[in-house]
Amino acid sequence: MNAPAYNFAYLDEQTKRMIRRAILKAIAIPGYQVPFASREMPMPYGWGTGGVQVTAAILGPHDVLKVIDQGSDDTTNAVSIRKFFAKTAGVRTTTSTEEATVIQTRHRIPERPLKAGQVIVFQVPIPEPLRFLEPRETETRRLHALADYGLMQVKLYEDIARHGHIATTFAYPVRVDDRYVMDPSPTPKFDNPKMDNCPALQLFGAGREKRIYAIPPHTRVVSLDFEDHPFEPYRHDGTCALCGATDGYLDEVITDDRGGRMFVCSDTDYCETRRSAGSVVKAGATSEGGCA
Amino acid sequence: MTAALVDDDPPLLVAEGLTKWYGQRLGCRDVSFALYQGEVLAVVGESGSGKSTLLQLLSAQLAPDAGRICYRMRDGVTRDLATLSEAERRFLFRTDWGYVHQDSRLGLRMTVSAGANVGERLMAVGWRHYGRIRASAASWLDRVEIDPDRIDETPGGYSGGMRQRLQIARNLVTDPRLVFMDEPTGGLDVSVQARVLDLLRGIVAELGLAAVIVTHDLAVARLLAHRILVMKGGAVIETGLTDQVLDDPQAPYTQLLVSSILPP
């Protein structure tokens, strides 16, 4: 370990045990929000304090950690959390989805299908899917207890009434194992289908709100919808300007102030893997100003 | 007063000896009555006479200290409300019952559209077809004389009378058999009151609803109710057919109440 002043993975062992108990309970009741005694972490709320605590509690010395922020391995949040665990736990880090055993993420699920044995940890800002329609915590808990989810449908109804289609594009509510309605954190709804019957364990940590929830491997996860307005994953209609992918989730990048823009894969590892395998788009082939 | 009372049916709701204390203070004491399907009961009395307490007891929002309430469920079985689970009570509340608040903001979701307000109960009982929910909401808006073109507006932009009518539509969309109303026309100006009352009278008769209406306005009671319950100091002091009680009041307080109305 590089920094013997810290316990392994920063948190003390008692705290990690407490968090693991919450995680075990969360796995036992898929989609249920388990309260836990969230700690102050050396980063501000909103930067992934919940995810970091979950990761710290499950990390072992032989784990390989990948951290992504909006699909990217090299943005501030991803880099600083990766460095944090490299320093406090001395674990090996990677940017490769395939190699990683633990993936902490903000807002995306990697394009490469996750496999059994991997754990994906989501950073969650607001774990309560009913919050914006029902501000009382006592009431939302009761609604969950009674599986009284008409209210969630009201939100989707409003979307259609105002926009003509379900305009919720992220934090799109799902029903887990036919019981609890869950907020899948602000991942784009493009990623919702990946949660269904996923072989990897999915853990969700909300630091400020002090909640942990989970989707065990191979659990049914259904996005809520209406019969005549079925759930549809959203994706920009385009191809990645770097690797030519037509199936991945795309980020729109503004390249100049004259309307130049390009679409690129939001999952940087996916994009790089494809490019190193020889799939390169000729510069300017798909969109103006697009150059690698 | 056209709704036919069916004699051989058991009552829809039976209250027996309802008593509620708020600490040392009395809410209401020993209230008993039976309500039949299609019957409208008005509870009148001055402020603090226990009317609202009674309504909250009847609608199972408060638990009585003594007494019980039995309700004939849709399957014909009469059950004590206290023995229902919370899930059953909630289900009853949003399918077979309605509750119209005096303050429409308590009964409506002010931040979502009128259509969603009416559709909420349908979605709560499992409707998942947007088109049908919307069609049902539109037809109910039409029935309560709200222009269906305003289906996507929030109640914030509605007038007081429209909000009250929207609240009525929201409650009736699941075809309840019993509606509780707490001063449904309180706070509305007289002409708007008349319109809401007219609408209520039509709908109640048309659907054969049973209703318990709490009001301090004897004109409302005269217009809507078949029977009247006069309360004072937490107790029922007089009860009977509306015309009978209002035309020939027996208790001194009722006489005072009736004589305090200006003749038309």
Side-chain angles (χ1 to χ4, degrees), chain A residues 2 6 13 17 30 43 76 82-83 88 91 93 111 113 131 143 148 152 155 170 175 198 212 242 254 283 287 292:
Chain A
N2 297 334
Y6 290 112
E13 292 305 311
R17 289 182 67 186
M43 58 174 70
T76 315
R82 200 160 55 225
K83 273 168 74 179
T88 60
V91 292
T93 59
E111 306 293 358
R131 178 63 68 233
L143 292 175
D148 192 349
M152 207 67 250
K155 180 178 186 304
F170 66 95
R175 190 156 194 163
C198 175
I212 286 172
L242 303 181
I254 306 292
S287 58

Side-chain angles (χ1 to χ4, degrees), chain B residues 76-124:
Chain B
V77 182
T78 300
R79 294 181 63 184
D80 185 345
L81 289 185
T83 64
L84 296 183
S85 70
E86 188 176 355
E88 289 174 308
R89 259 204 305 276
R90 279 190 172 235
F91 187 74
L92 190 66
F93 202 90
R94 64 170 181 233
T95 53
D96 218 14
W97 289 0
Y99 196 104
V100 178
H101 293 264
Q102 174 176 7
D103 183 351
S104 56
R105 275 172 297 184
L106 293 176
L108 295 173
R109 280 188 198 284
M110 298 303 284
T111 52
V112 305
S113 68
N117 263 296
V118 179
E120 182 177 347
R121 276 176 165 234
L122 297 175
M123 293 182 247

Side-chain angles (χ1 to χ4, degrees), chain B residues 41-97:
Chain B
L41 175 74
V43 181
V44 300
E46 60 192 3
S47 297
S49 59
K51 307 186 299 270
S52 295
T53 300
L54 178 62
L55 199 67
Q56 286 182 351
L57 289 174
L58 292 175
S59 57
Q61 295 180 67
L62 276 180
D65 292 326
R68 62 180 194 147
I69 303 153
C70 295
Y71 182 73
R72 183 158 55 84
M73 314 292 275
R74 283 197 182 188
D75 57 10
V77 182
T78 300
R79 294 181 63 184
D80 185 345
L81 289 185
T83 64
L84 296 183
S85 70
E86 188 176 355
E88 289 174 308
R89 259 204 305 276
R90 279 190 172 235
F91 187 74
L92 190 66
F93 202 90
R94 64 170 181 233
T95 53
D96 218 14
W97 289 0

Side-chain angles (χ1 to χ4, degrees), chain A residues 240-274:
Chain A
C240 173
L242 303 181
C243 74
T246 53
D247 52 353
Y249 190 73
L250 298 175
D251 282 341
E252 184 181 3
V253 182
I254 306 292
T255 50
D256 54 37
D257 57 2
R258 295 184 307 277
R261 63 202 179 108
M262 65 195 268
F263 288 112
V264 292
C265 286
S266 118
D267 185 339
T268 51
D269 171 56
Y270 179 71
C271 198
E272 276 159 22
T273 312
R274 278 178 54 89

Side-chain angles (χ1 to χ4, degrees), chain A residues 13-175:
Chain A
E13 292 305 311
Q14 288 304 320
T15 300
K16 287 199 259 180
R17 289 182 67 186
M18 174 272 293
I19 294 172
R20 283 176 203 143
R21 279 196 292 268
I23 293 172
L24 286 174
K25 182 170 178 181
I27 294 170
I29 318 172
Y32 172 73
Q33 300 166 44
V34 183
F36 78 111
S38 176
R39 298 290 195 253
E40 291 274 341
M41 295 302 283
M43 58 174 70
Y45 286 129
W47 284 57
T49 53
V52 162
Q53 289 179 75
V54 170
T55 302
I58 61 170
L59 216 51
H62 301 298
D63 271 317
V64 182
L65 178 69
K66 170 184 166 79
V67 184
I68 49 179
D69 170 7
Q70 310 270 15
S72 167
D73 290 283
D74 43 21
T75 50
T76 315
N77 201 206
V79 171
S80 62
I81 292 174
R82 200 160 55 225
K83 273 168 74 179
F84 176 76
F85 282 116
K87 190 171 182 180
T88 60
V91 292
R92 198 154 71 81
T93 59
T94 181
T95 58
S96 156
T97 304
E98 192 183 14
E99 239 187 305
T101 56
V102 177
I103 303 169
Q104 182 173 332
T105 176
R106 172 170 177 261
H107 298 193
R108 280 307 312 281
I109 299 173
E111 306 293 358
R112 184 189 189 88
L114 300 178
K115 52 184 197 252
Q118 288 184 313
V119 183
I120 182 163
V121 179
F122 295 79
Q123 304 168 192
V124 181
I126 297 168
E128 179 51 71
L130 301 164
R131 178 63 68 233
F132 289 105
L133 285 158
E134 179 49 71
R136 290 168 295 178
E137 176 69 14
T138 47
E139 183 66 11
T140 53
R141 283 198 205 187
R142 189 165 284 140
L143 292 175
H144 281 297
L146 299 170
D148 192 349
Y149 292 127
L151 205 53
M152 207 67 250
Q153 253 7 81
V154 171
K155 180 178 186 304
L156 300 179
Y157 175 99
E158 275 298 282
D159 263 4
I160 303 174
R162 287 187 191 175
H163 307 288
H165 60 99
I166 299 179
T168 303
T169 53
F170 66 95
Y172 191 103
V174 293
R175 190 156 194 163

